[in-house]
Amino acid sequence: MVYEIDYAGGERVGCSSKIVIADRIFYVKLFSSEPSRFFSGDQQGVIQKEISKAEFELWLNILADNEADVNIIQKKLSLGKKY
């Protein structure tokens, strides 16, 4: 599985990180004192809509090759800037 986590790309649109996995783009916005928010994006890097944590995790499980990759991705996403 090929994926890319881009912290700077996420911050450009007000999020903690941007993840490109397969042909899908997602944004994650981490907060210090409230739950994280998740967004889907289009190929031009524009946020389309907010999605639930469950939907985001569903897509990760569908697109990732195995559970170990999902865990690695989630750890890397948690390193992004917190708002």
Side-chain angles (χ1 to χ4, degrees):
M1 172 201 54
V2 177
Y3 67 91
E4 175 188 353
I5 296 176
D6 181 3
Y7 300 108
E11 288 182 22
R12 279 194 292 274
V13 295
C15 292
S16 302
S17 57
K18 170 184 172 183
I19 178 170
V20 179
I21 182 170
D23 63 343
R24 304 282 180 157
I25 298 174
F26 299 98
Y27 294 92
V28 178
K29 187 167 188 176
L30 304 172
F31 295 96
S32 319
S33 61
E34 58 186 85
S36 300
R37 295 175 65 189
F38 304 90
F39 305 91
S40 64
D42 65 13
Q43 294 300 326
Q44 288 74 38
V46 177
I47 293 176
Q48 290 182 326
K49 67 176 183 169
E50 185 169 358
I51 59 175
S52 68
K53 180 179 181 180
E55 184 177 352
F56 176 72
E57 289 176 348
L58 174 70
W59 277 111
L60 276 184
N61 286 312
I62 290 170
L63 298 171
D65 291 335
N66 55 55
E67 187 67 29
D69 285 339
V70 171
N71 292 334
I72 291 168
I73 291 169
Q74 288 177 331
K75 283 183 183 180
K76 288 182 179 180
L77 290 174
S78 70
L79 300 174
K81 177 182 176 181
K82 295 188 176 43
Y83 291 86

